[in-house]
Amino acid sequence: MENKNINLVNGVKQIIAIASGKGGVGKSTTSVNVALALSNLGKRIGLLDADVYGPSIPKMLGLSGKPDTTKEGKKIIPKEKLGIQTMSIGFLVAEDTPMIWRGPMVMSAIKQLLYEVEWNDVDILVIDLPPGTGDTQLTLAQQVPISGSVIVSTPQDVALLDVKKGINMFKKVEIPVFGVIENMSYFLCPHCSSKTEIFSYGGAKKTANEYGIEFLGEIPLDTKIREHADKGEPLFNNKENIEYNEIYTKIANKLIDKLENQESATGPKINFID
Amino acid sequence: MENKNINLVNGVKQIIAIASGKGGVGKSTTSVNVALALSNLGKRIGLLDADVYGPSIPKMLGLSGKPDTTKEGKKIIPKEKLGIQTMSIGFLVAEDTPMIWRGPMVMSAIKQLLYEVEWNDVDILVIDLPPGTGDTQLTLAQQVPISGSVIVSTPQDVALLDVKKGINMFKKVEIPVFGVIENMSYFLCPHCSSKTEIFSYGGAKKTANEYGIEFLGEIPLDTKIREHADKGEPLFNNKENIEYNEIYTKIANKLIDKLENQESATGPKINFID
């Protein structure tokens, strides 16, 4: 691997990266709801949408318009929603404009979204990574002090190939994998309450076990989750959906544990299994 | 835009690129089944898996192992399955190895997969693009003679943002968009046969209309499609699933029409609506 050249982020204590080997597994939805669950547990949370090609966090949080800058105009002030400080390229470009950028431009954009932002006393910055193992992931891994990563996957075999790739990528760039989340784990028919394993079931847990990585939890495929994301009103803390608050809170608690254990560790941060 | 520098592909008459602004919408599954439908209509078909970071075509077609080379060892012979000539980076690297590559390496790999392959009298080469609007898409658009593109999307609002980006990207690189396919359009419960619009419904059609692009068809979300992909036995032409053969055949017929109309056109290939 190329060498690491880590730069701390002002105003941010710790960073968790939410990744997926494959797109469309619900990584952004999971990032938003986990961020809200962490915030609900008393942490000050930032959320950086690092998916320059397909930012979806603004839509999911119902945020739009340009962010303000500090008085001196030197830094961008993150937009705040439900107590979460949020930054996304989506605040800066029109919704339907494609970022037809090559690698170096993507890197430069992400560094600005991270370093030229006035994060205000953030305990945990959640970075919603773009899917895959390309330029963005490499740059962040080499230059940003990421405490650990979370891999989100759907359970079917074809998606699990990409989980394995994700685990191996983080291993190569020496970032601990805190755990794997299985999203769209099963579908409960709203008409007859029958369970259908549309995208199979349990595959992410099995893959996590195989690689000695913690399984953080499974989130069902539920029309409600998508509807809330489309409306810009995340599901978490919506009073009607207590069962989901519990699922995301369990995941958030496990992540806080991981971060706290890491702070007190003196040896290698994690032992990967080859 | 940077200038185009088009190089013809030996042994290939026409090229269709299957794209999606967002990952995980079923682009590869759709590519495989549309390729089979085109083949069933009498065309000689090639299928290039251009998703270097997450190749899933080998798994979906049940193909593995290294491909052969020509006698002189100069070119790779594509693997053949169900009459489709197939090439993928997945044939050349281990299943769980992440391609942690920066842009220029990706470009070089894709050019090899395209130009250093012994395509045998292919009428239509279907290229399964990686999701997004990054290096791969740019390079292919600038250097490969693509007749037209197809955008696959799920119907929910958040995914449609990325369809708009995709349409605008192809417009910028001057590749006609032949049409939009809505995948995972609705779910039929196998227990009670009720329809649930898990990812919403009809959004891709609406977006296509908005941009003056043809809507090619809608494919339901069905556990069977995923199961067949996981087993490496594509759904198309599976005798049990005649309704899907019809859906994919309709799409294939529309694409053949588009290609034939384009051949006879003397003016600009397509008029984009601003």
Side-chain angles (χ1 to χ4, degrees), chain A residues 154-187:
Chain A
T154 48
Q156 78 270 37
D157 287 1
V158 168
L160 294 176
L161 287 186
D162 292 322
V163 174
K164 294 175 187 175
K165 289 197 181 80
I167 292 173
N168 284 329
M169 177 191 74
F170 284 118
K171 185 174 166 182
K172 282 192 187 173
V173 295
E174 297 175 349
I175 291 176
V177 179
F178 284 165
V180 173
I181 296 174
E182 182 163 298
N183 198 29
M184 310 190 192
S185 199
Y186 49 85
F187 176 71

PDB file of all heavy atoms in Angstrom, chain A residues 154-187:
ATOM      1  N   THR A 154     -26.612  -6.362   1.918  1.00  0.00           N
ATOM      2  CA  THR A 154     -27.816  -7.175   1.840  1.00  0.00           C
ATOM      3  C   THR A 154     -27.358  -8.635   1.895  1.00  0.00           C
ATOM      4  O   THR A 154     -26.178  -8.921   1.702  1.00  0.00           O
ATOM      5  CB  THR A 154     -28.573  -6.872   0.532  1.00  0.00           C
ATOM      6  OG1 THR A 154     -27.646  -6.891  -0.551  1.00  0.00           O
ATOM      7  CG2 THR A 154     -29.218  -5.502   0.588  1.00  0.00           C
ATOM      8  N   PRO A 155     -28.289  -9.562   2.169  1.00  0.00           N
ATOM      9  CA  PRO A 155     -27.824 -10.928   2.462  1.00  0.00           C
ATOM     10  C   PRO A 155     -27.516 -11.824   1.263  1.00  0.00           C
ATOM     11  O   PRO A 155     -26.972 -12.901   1.449  1.00  0.00           O
ATOM     12  CB  PRO A 155     -28.989 -11.533   3.257  1.00  0.00           C
ATOM     13  CG  PRO A 155     -30.145 -10.623   3.118  1.00  0.00           C
ATOM     14  CD  PRO A 155     -29.698  -9.349   2.503  1.00  0.00           C
ATOM     15  N   GLN A 156     -27.842 -11.428   0.025  1.00  0.00           N
ATOM     16  CA  GLN A 156     -27.696 -12.406  -1.057  1.00  0.00           C
ATOM     17  C   GLN A 156     -26.234 -12.644  -1.415  1.00  0.00           C
ATOM     18  O   GLN A 156     -25.383 -11.797  -1.211  1.00  0.00           O
ATOM     19  CB  GLN A 156     -28.505 -11.996  -2.288  1.00  0.00           C
ATOM     20  CG  GLN A 156     -27.918 -10.921  -3.162  1.00  0.00           C
ATOM     21  CD  GLN A 156     -28.352  -9.543  -2.737  1.00  0.00           C
ATOM     22  OE1 GLN A 156     -28.487  -9.275  -1.551  1.00  0.00           O
ATOM     23  NE2 GLN A 156     -28.517  -8.655  -3.688  1.00  0.00           N
ATOM     24  N   ASP A 157     -25.980 -13.826  -1.991  1.00  0.00           N
ATOM     25  CA  ASP A 157     -24.616 -14.256  -2.306  1.00  0.00           C
ATOM     26  C   ASP A 157     -23.838 -13.227  -3.110  1.00  0.00           C
ATOM     27  O   ASP A 157     -22.669 -12.965  -2.842  1.00  0.00           O
ATOM     28  CB  ASP A 157     -24.647 -15.553  -3.127  1.00  0.00           C
ATOM     29  CG  ASP A 157     -25.044 -16.742  -2.268  1.00  0.00           C
ATOM     30  OD1 ASP A 157     -25.305 -16.543  -1.068  1.00  0.00           O
ATOM     31  OD2 ASP A 157     -25.096 -17.855  -2.808  1.00  0.00           O
ATOM     32  N   VAL A 158     -24.500 -12.659  -4.131  1.00  0.00           N
ATOM     33  CA  VAL A 158     -23.795 -11.743  -5.025  1.00  0.00           C
ATOM     34  C   VAL A 158     -23.301 -10.514  -4.264  1.00  0.00           C
ATOM     35  O   VAL A 158     -22.214 -10.005  -4.510  1.00  0.00           O
ATOM     36  CB  VAL A 158     -24.705 -11.348  -6.216  1.00  0.00           C
ATOM     37  CG1 VAL A 158     -24.122 -10.193  -6.992  1.00  0.00           C
ATOM     38  CG2 VAL A 158     -24.902 -12.543  -7.138  1.00  0.00           C
ATOM     39  N   ALA A 159     -24.074 -10.042  -3.276  1.00  0.00           N
ATOM     40  CA  ALA A 159     -23.650  -8.884  -2.483  1.00  0.00           C
ATOM     41  C   ALA A 159     -22.528  -9.263  -1.513  1.00  0.00           C
ATOM     42  O   ALA A 159     -21.654  -8.451  -1.217  1.00  0.00           O
ATOM     43  CB  ALA A 159     -24.842  -8.314  -1.723  1.00  0.00           C
ATOM     44  N   LEU A 160     -22.553 -10.496  -1.052  1.00  0.00           N
ATOM     45  CA  LEU A 160     -21.553 -10.904  -0.056  1.00  0.00           C
ATOM     46  C   LEU A 160     -20.144 -10.950  -0.620  1.00  0.00           C
ATOM     47  O   LEU A 160     -19.174 -10.706   0.091  1.00  0.00           O
ATOM     48  CB  LEU A 160     -21.932 -12.262   0.538  1.00  0.00           C
ATOM     49  CG  LEU A 160     -23.230 -12.212   1.347  1.00  0.00           C
ATOM     50  CD1 LEU A 160     -23.604 -13.597   1.814  1.00  0.00           C
ATOM     51  CD2 LEU A 160     -23.099 -11.267   2.535  1.00  0.00           C
ATOM     52  N   LEU A 161     -20.035 -11.224  -1.915  1.00  0.00           N
ATOM     53  CA  LEU A 161     -18.719 -11.147  -2.575  1.00  0.00           C
ATOM     54  C   LEU A 161     -18.094  -9.799  -2.275  1.00  0.00           C
ATOM     55  O   LEU A 161     -16.904  -9.688  -2.008  1.00  0.00           O
ATOM     56  CB  LEU A 161     -18.883 -11.231  -4.098  1.00  0.00           C
ATOM     57  CG  LEU A 161     -19.235 -12.562  -4.723  1.00  0.00           C
ATOM     58  CD1 LEU A 161     -19.180 -12.416  -6.239  1.00  0.00           C
ATOM     59  CD2 LEU A 161     -18.260 -13.619  -4.245  1.00  0.00           C
ATOM     60  N   ASP A 162     -18.935  -8.753  -2.334  1.00  0.00           N
ATOM     61  CA  ASP A 162     -18.428  -7.398  -2.158  1.00  0.00           C
ATOM     62  C   ASP A 162     -18.140  -7.082  -0.682  1.00  0.00           C
ATOM     63  O   ASP A 162     -17.311  -6.232  -0.393  1.00  0.00           O
ATOM     64  CB  ASP A 162     -19.412  -6.397  -2.770  1.00  0.00           C
ATOM     65  CG  ASP A 162     -19.453  -6.511  -4.294  1.00  0.00           C
ATOM     66  OD1 ASP A 162     -18.381  -6.720  -4.886  1.00  0.00           O
ATOM     67  OD2 ASP A 162     -20.543  -6.382  -4.879  1.00  0.00           O
ATOM     68  N   VAL A 163     -18.812  -7.759   0.236  1.00  0.00           N
ATOM     69  CA  VAL A 163     -18.480  -7.607   1.655  1.00  0.00           C
ATOM     70  C   VAL A 163     -17.068  -8.124   1.895  1.00  0.00           C
ATOM     71  O   VAL A 163     -16.251  -7.494   2.573  1.00  0.00           O
ATOM     72  CB  VAL A 163     -19.446  -8.415   2.554  1.00  0.00           C
ATOM     73  CG1 VAL A 163     -18.989  -8.362   4.007  1.00  0.00           C
ATOM     74  CG2 VAL A 163     -20.854  -7.889   2.420  1.00  0.00           C
ATOM     75  N   LYS A 164     -16.781  -9.281   1.296  1.00  0.00           N
ATOM     76  CA  LYS A 164     -15.444  -9.865   1.466  1.00  0.00           C
ATOM     77  C   LYS A 164     -14.390  -8.897   0.921  1.00  0.00           C
ATOM     78  O   LYS A 164     -13.346  -8.686   1.534  1.00  0.00           O
ATOM     79  CB  LYS A 164     -15.364 -11.206   0.731  1.00  0.00           C
ATOM     80  CG  LYS A 164     -16.281 -12.256   1.350  1.00  0.00           C
ATOM     81  CD  LYS A 164     -16.296 -13.548   0.537  1.00  0.00           C
ATOM     82  CE  LYS A 164     -17.364 -14.491   1.097  1.00  0.00           C
ATOM     83  NZ  LYS A 164     -17.509 -15.712   0.269  1.00  0.00           N
ATOM     84  N   LYS A 165     -14.694  -8.312  -0.234  1.00  0.00           N
ATOM     85  CA  LYS A 165     -13.769  -7.334  -0.808  1.00  0.00           C
ATOM     86  C   LYS A 165     -13.587  -6.146   0.142  1.00  0.00           C
ATOM     87  O   LYS A 165     -12.482  -5.664   0.341  1.00  0.00           O
ATOM     88  CB  LYS A 165     -14.308  -6.811  -2.142  1.00  0.00           C
ATOM     89  CG  LYS A 165     -14.255  -7.817  -3.253  1.00  0.00           C
ATOM     90  CD  LYS A 165     -14.402  -7.095  -4.596  1.00  0.00           C
ATOM     91  CE  LYS A 165     -14.374  -8.099  -5.719  1.00  0.00           C
ATOM     92  NZ  LYS A 165     -15.679  -8.772  -5.911  1.00  0.00           N
ATOM     93  N   GLY A 166     -14.687  -5.677   0.731  1.00  0.00           N
ATOM     94  CA  GLY A 166     -14.624  -4.539   1.652  1.00  0.00           C
ATOM     95  C   GLY A 166     -13.764  -4.858   2.865  1.00  0.00           C
ATOM     96  O   GLY A 166     -12.902  -4.065   3.261  1.00  0.00           O
ATOM     97  N   ILE A 167     -13.983  -6.029   3.452  1.00  0.00           N
ATOM     98  CA  ILE A 167     -13.200  -6.432   4.629  1.00  0.00           C
ATOM     99  C   ILE A 167     -11.715  -6.461   4.266  1.00  0.00           C
ATOM    100  O   ILE A 167     -10.864  -5.938   4.994  1.00  0.00           O
ATOM    101  CB  ILE A 167     -13.672  -7.813   5.149  1.00  0.00           C
ATOM    102  CG1 ILE A 167     -15.094  -7.708   5.718  1.00  0.00           C
ATOM    103  CG2 ILE A 167     -12.704  -8.360   6.202  1.00  0.00           C
ATOM    104  CD1 ILE A 167     -15.725  -9.055   6.096  1.00  0.00           C
ATOM    105  N   ASN A 168     -11.406  -7.046   3.119  1.00  0.00           N
ATOM    106  CA  ASN A 168      -9.993  -7.140   2.716  1.00  0.00           C
ATOM    107  C   ASN A 168      -9.389  -5.778   2.395  1.00  0.00           C
ATOM    108  O   ASN A 168      -8.210  -5.546   2.654  1.00  0.00           O
ATOM    109  CB  ASN A 168      -9.851  -8.096   1.530  1.00  0.00           C
ATOM    110  CG  ASN A 168      -9.970  -9.543   1.966  1.00  0.00           C
ATOM    111  OD1 ASN A 168      -9.589  -9.888   3.086  1.00  0.00           O
ATOM    112  ND2 ASN A 168     -10.510 -10.398   1.114  1.00  0.00           N
ATOM    113  N   MET A 169     -10.215  -4.865   1.860  1.00  0.00           N
ATOM    114  CA  MET A 169      -9.694  -3.524   1.603  1.00  0.00           C
ATOM    115  C   MET A 169      -9.312  -2.829   2.905  1.00  0.00           C
ATOM    116  O   MET A 169      -8.212  -2.288   3.045  1.00  0.00           O
ATOM    117  CB  MET A 169     -10.698  -2.665   0.847  1.00  0.00           C
ATOM    118  CG  MET A 169     -10.166  -1.246   0.647  1.00  0.00           C
ATOM    119  SD  MET A 169     -11.398  -0.077   0.049  1.00  0.00           S
ATOM    120  CE  MET A 169     -12.377   0.177   1.519  1.00  0.00           C
ATOM    121  N   PHE A 170     -10.218  -2.858   3.896  1.00  0.00           N
ATOM    122  CA  PHE A 170      -9.920  -2.191   5.169  1.00  0.00           C
ATOM    123  C   PHE A 170      -8.710  -2.838   5.852  1.00  0.00           C
ATOM    124  O   PHE A 170      -7.941  -2.175   6.530  1.00  0.00           O
ATOM    125  CB  PHE A 170     -11.139  -2.202   6.083  1.00  0.00           C
ATOM    126  CG  PHE A 170     -12.177  -1.192   5.681  1.00  0.00           C
ATOM    127  CD1 PHE A 170     -13.451  -1.580   5.289  1.00  0.00           C
ATOM    128  CD2 PHE A 170     -11.877   0.162   5.681  1.00  0.00           C
ATOM    129  CE1 PHE A 170     -14.408  -0.642   4.903  1.00  0.00           C
ATOM    130  CE2 PHE A 170     -12.820   1.111   5.296  1.00  0.00           C
ATOM    131  CZ  PHE A 170     -14.081   0.706   4.908  1.00  0.00           C
ATOM    132  N   LYS A 171      -8.579  -4.130   5.663  1.00  0.00           N
ATOM    133  CA  LYS A 171      -7.422  -4.823   6.219  1.00  0.00           C
ATOM    134  C   LYS A 171      -6.138  -4.271   5.589  1.00  0.00           C
ATOM    135  O   LYS A 171      -5.173  -3.954   6.272  1.00  0.00           O
ATOM    136  CB  LYS A 171      -7.584  -6.309   5.909  1.00  0.00           C
ATOM    137  CG  LYS A 171      -6.544  -7.193   6.513  1.00  0.00           C
ATOM    138  CD  LYS A 171      -6.935  -8.639   6.228  1.00  0.00           C
ATOM    139  CE  LYS A 171      -5.783  -9.581   6.503  1.00  0.00           C
ATOM    140  NZ  LYS A 171      -6.166 -10.964   6.167  1.00  0.00           N
ATOM    141  N   LYS A 172      -6.161  -4.125   4.257  1.00  0.00           N
ATOM    142  CA  LYS A 172      -4.966  -3.624   3.569  1.00  0.00           C
ATOM    143  C   LYS A 172      -4.610  -2.211   3.988  1.00  0.00           C
ATOM    144  O   LYS A 172      -3.447  -1.866   4.085  1.00  0.00           O
ATOM    145  CB  LYS A 172      -5.163  -3.665   2.047  1.00  0.00           C
ATOM    146  CG  LYS A 172      -4.997  -5.071   1.503  1.00  0.00           C
ATOM    147  CD  LYS A 172      -4.891  -5.104  -0.008  1.00  0.00           C
ATOM    148  CE  LYS A 172      -4.902  -6.575  -0.448  1.00  0.00           C
ATOM    149  NZ  LYS A 172      -4.978  -6.754  -1.878  1.00  0.00           N
ATOM    150  N   VAL A 173      -5.622  -1.370   4.221  1.00  0.00           N
ATOM    151  CA  VAL A 173      -5.328   0.016   4.591  1.00  0.00           C
ATOM    152  C   VAL A 173      -5.279   0.184   6.112  1.00  0.00           C
ATOM    153  O   VAL A 173      -5.199   1.296   6.624  1.00  0.00           O
ATOM    154  CB  VAL A 173      -6.332   1.017   3.959  1.00  0.00           C
ATOM    155  CG1 VAL A 173      -6.195   1.021   2.436  1.00  0.00           C
ATOM    156  CG2 VAL A 173      -7.770   0.702   4.356  1.00  0.00           C
ATOM    157  N   GLU A 174      -5.337  -0.955   6.827  1.00  0.00           N
ATOM    158  CA  GLU A 174      -5.155  -0.983   8.287  1.00  0.00           C
ATOM    159  C   GLU A 174      -6.179  -0.169   9.056  1.00  0.00           C
ATOM    160  O   GLU A 174      -5.837   0.573   9.983  1.00  0.00           O
ATOM    161  CB  GLU A 174      -3.727  -0.558   8.653  1.00  0.00           C
ATOM    162  CG  GLU A 174      -2.698  -1.534   8.097  1.00  0.00           C
ATOM    163  CD  GLU A 174      -1.264  -1.085   8.322  1.00  0.00           C
ATOM    164  OE1 GLU A 174      -1.071   0.079   8.719  1.00  0.00           O
ATOM    165  OE2 GLU A 174      -0.356  -1.897   8.105  1.00  0.00           O
ATOM    166  N   ILE A 175      -7.428  -0.275   8.655  1.00  0.00           N
ATOM    167  CA  ILE A 175      -8.519   0.316   9.426  1.00  0.00           C
ATOM    168  C   ILE A 175      -9.360  -0.827   9.990  1.00  0.00           C
ATOM    169  O   ILE A 175      -9.804  -1.695   9.238  1.00  0.00           O
ATOM    170  CB  ILE A 175      -9.373   1.239   8.535  1.00  0.00           C
ATOM    171  CG1 ILE A 175      -8.563   2.475   8.154  1.00  0.00           C
ATOM    172  CG2 ILE A 175     -10.667   1.639   9.233  1.00  0.00           C
ATOM    173  CD1 ILE A 175      -9.277   3.411   7.209  1.00  0.00           C
ATOM    174  N   PRO A 176      -9.574  -0.848  11.328  1.00  0.00           N
ATOM    175  CA  PRO A 176     -10.365  -1.934  11.917  1.00  0.00           C
ATOM    176  C   PRO A 176     -11.789  -1.947  11.360  1.00  0.00           C
ATOM    177  O   PRO A 176     -12.371  -0.893  11.123  1.00  0.00           O
ATOM    178  CB  PRO A 176     -10.406  -1.584  13.414  1.00  0.00           C
ATOM    179  CG  PRO A 176      -9.346  -0.574  13.634  1.00  0.00           C
ATOM    180  CD  PRO A 176      -9.118   0.128  12.327  1.00  0.00           C
ATOM    181  N   VAL A 177     -12.327  -3.132  11.146  1.00  0.00           N
ATOM    182  CA  VAL A 177     -13.735  -3.262  10.786  1.00  0.00           C
ATOM    183  C   VAL A 177     -14.500  -3.524  12.084  1.00  0.00           C
ATOM    184  O   VAL A 177     -14.342  -4.565  12.700  1.00  0.00           O
ATOM    185  CB  VAL A 177     -13.963  -4.409   9.779  1.00  0.00           C
ATOM    186  CG1 VAL A 177     -15.448  -4.533   9.439  1.00  0.00           C
ATOM    187  CG2 VAL A 177     -13.158  -4.166   8.508  1.00  0.00           C
ATOM    188  N   PHE A 178     -15.306  -2.544  12.528  1.00  0.00           N
ATOM    189  CA  PHE A 178     -16.053  -2.698  13.780  1.00  0.00           C
ATOM    190  C   PHE A 178     -17.163  -3.744  13.644  1.00  0.00           C
ATOM    191  O   PHE A 178     -17.555  -4.359  14.621  1.00  0.00           O
ATOM    192  CB  PHE A 178     -16.665  -1.362  14.207  1.00  0.00           C
ATOM    193  CG  PHE A 178     -15.677  -0.401  14.815  1.00  0.00           C
ATOM    194  CD1 PHE A 178     -16.008   0.947  14.970  1.00  0.00           C
ATOM    195  CD2 PHE A 178     -14.429  -0.824  15.250  1.00  0.00           C
ATOM    196  CE1 PHE A 178     -15.114   1.841  15.538  1.00  0.00           C
ATOM    197  CE2 PHE A 178     -13.524   0.071  15.820  1.00  0.00           C
ATOM    198  CZ  PHE A 178     -13.868   1.407  15.966  1.00  0.00           C
ATOM    199  N   GLY A 179     -17.675  -3.906  12.438  1.00  0.00           N
ATOM    200  CA  GLY A 179     -18.710  -4.914  12.277  1.00  0.00           C
ATOM    201  C   GLY A 179     -19.461  -4.814  10.973  1.00  0.00           C
ATOM    202  O   GLY A 179     -19.220  -3.923  10.157  1.00  0.00           O
ATOM    203  N   VAL A 180     -20.370  -5.787  10.791  1.00  0.00           N
ATOM    204  CA  VAL A 180     -21.165  -5.885   9.573  1.00  0.00           C
ATOM    205  C   VAL A 180     -22.645  -5.781   9.944  1.00  0.00           C
ATOM    206  O   VAL A 180     -23.086  -6.344  10.942  1.00  0.00           O
ATOM    207  CB  VAL A 180     -20.882  -7.233   8.862  1.00  0.00           C
ATOM    208  CG1 VAL A 180     -21.818  -7.445   7.681  1.00  0.00           C
ATOM    209  CG2 VAL A 180     -19.426  -7.330   8.431  1.00  0.00           C
ATOM    210  N   ILE A 181     -23.400  -5.014   9.160  1.00  0.00           N
ATOM    211  CA  ILE A 181     -24.855  -4.898   9.342  1.00  0.00           C
ATOM    212  C   ILE A 181     -25.541  -5.542   8.146  1.00  0.00           C
ATOM    213  O   ILE A 181     -25.160  -5.276   7.005  1.00  0.00           O
ATOM    214  CB  ILE A 181     -25.278  -3.408   9.441  1.00  0.00           C
ATOM    215  CG1 ILE A 181     -24.667  -2.751  10.682  1.00  0.00           C
ATOM    216  CG2 ILE A 181     -26.806  -3.273   9.466  1.00  0.00           C
ATOM    217  CD1 ILE A 181     -24.915  -1.236  10.761  1.00  0.00           C
ATOM    218  N   GLU A 182     -26.536  -6.394   8.413  1.00  0.00           N
ATOM    219  CA  GLU A 182     -27.332  -6.951   7.305  1.00  0.00           C
ATOM    220  C   GLU A 182     -28.588  -6.115   7.122  1.00  0.00           C
ATOM    221  O   GLU A 182     -29.452  -6.069   7.997  1.00  0.00           O
ATOM    222  CB  GLU A 182     -27.691  -8.417   7.572  1.00  0.00           C
ATOM    223  CG  GLU A 182     -28.480  -9.043   6.421  1.00  0.00           C
ATOM    224  CD  GLU A 182     -28.501 -10.576   6.470  1.00  0.00           C
ATOM    225  OE1 GLU A 182     -27.407 -11.178   6.384  1.00  0.00           O
ATOM    226  OE2 GLU A 182     -29.588 -11.158   6.610  1.00  0.00           O
ATOM    227  N   ASN A 183     -28.675  -5.439   5.979  1.00  0.00           N
ATOM    228  CA  ASN A 183     -29.837  -4.600   5.688  1.00  0.00           C
ATOM    229  C   ASN A 183     -30.746  -5.334   4.706  1.00  0.00           C
ATOM    230  O   ASN A 183     -30.295  -6.206   3.975  1.00  0.00           O
ATOM    231  CB  ASN A 183     -29.381  -3.259   5.097  1.00  0.00           C
ATOM    232  CG  ASN A 183     -30.462  -2.194   5.186  1.00  0.00           C
ATOM    233  OD1 ASN A 183     -31.306  -2.215   6.088  1.00  0.00           O
ATOM    234  ND2 ASN A 183     -30.454  -1.267   4.254  1.00  0.00           N
ATOM    235  N   MET A 184     -32.019  -4.968   4.689  1.00  0.00           N
ATOM    236  CA  MET A 184     -33.017  -5.649   3.835  1.00  0.00           C
ATOM    237  C   MET A 184     -32.989  -7.146   4.134  1.00  0.00           C
ATOM    238  O   MET A 184     -33.021  -7.992   3.227  1.00  0.00           O
ATOM    239  CB  MET A 184     -32.733  -5.415   2.341  1.00  0.00           C
ATOM    240  CG  MET A 184     -32.531  -3.952   1.980  1.00  0.00           C
ATOM    241  SD  MET A 184     -32.499  -3.708   0.195  1.00  0.00           S
ATOM    242  CE  MET A 184     -31.885  -2.015   0.102  1.00  0.00           C
ATOM    243  N   SER A 185     -32.933  -7.455   5.420  1.00  0.00           N
ATOM    244  CA  SER A 185     -32.667  -8.808   5.880  1.00  0.00           C
ATOM    245  C   SER A 185     -33.813  -9.749   5.541  1.00  0.00           C
ATOM    246  O   SER A 185     -33.603 -10.913   5.228  1.00  0.00           O
ATOM    247  CB  SER A 185     -32.429  -8.759   7.379  1.00  0.00           C
ATOM    248  OG  SER A 185     -31.760  -9.887   7.835  1.00  0.00           O
ATOM    249  N   TYR A 186     -35.033  -9.264   5.639  1.00  0.00           N
ATOM    250  CA  TYR A 186     -36.207 -10.046   5.241  1.00  0.00           C
ATOM    251  C   TYR A 186     -37.354  -9.060   5.069  1.00  0.00           C
ATOM    252  O   TYR A 186     -37.276  -7.914   5.524  1.00  0.00           O
ATOM    253  CB  TYR A 186     -36.567 -11.096   6.309  1.00  0.00           C
ATOM    254  CG  TYR A 186     -36.641 -10.537   7.703  1.00  0.00           C
ATOM    255  CD1 TYR A 186     -37.809  -9.943   8.178  1.00  0.00           C
ATOM    256  CD2 TYR A 186     -35.522 -10.554   8.541  1.00  0.00           C
ATOM    257  CE1 TYR A 186     -37.866  -9.381   9.443  1.00  0.00           C
ATOM    258  CE2 TYR A 186     -35.572  -9.999   9.809  1.00  0.00           C
ATOM    259  CZ  TYR A 186     -36.743  -9.420  10.258  1.00  0.00           C
ATOM    260  OH  TYR A 186     -36.794  -8.860  11.504  1.00  0.00           O
ATOM    261  N   PHE A 187     -38.412  -9.492   4.412  1.00  0.00           N
ATOM    262  CA  PHE A 187     -39.540  -8.606   4.137  1.00  0.00           C
ATOM    263  C   PHE A 187     -40.780  -9.136   4.844  1.00  0.00           C
ATOM    264  O   PHE A 187     -41.096 -10.315   4.752  1.00  0.00           O
ATOM    265  CB  PHE A 187     -39.789  -8.529   2.626  1.00  0.00           C
ATOM    266  CG  PHE A 187     -40.992  -7.711   2.246  1.00  0.00           C
ATOM    267  CD1 PHE A 187     -40.978  -6.335   2.391  1.00  0.00           C
ATOM    268  CD2 PHE A 187     -42.139  -8.316   1.751  1.00  0.00           C
ATOM    269  CE1 PHE A 187     -42.088  -5.569   2.039  1.00  0.00           C
ATOM    270  CE2 PHE A 187     -43.249  -7.565   1.399  1.00  0.00           C
ATOM    271  CZ  PHE A 187     -43.223  -6.185   1.547  1.00  0.00           C
TER     272      PHE A 187
END
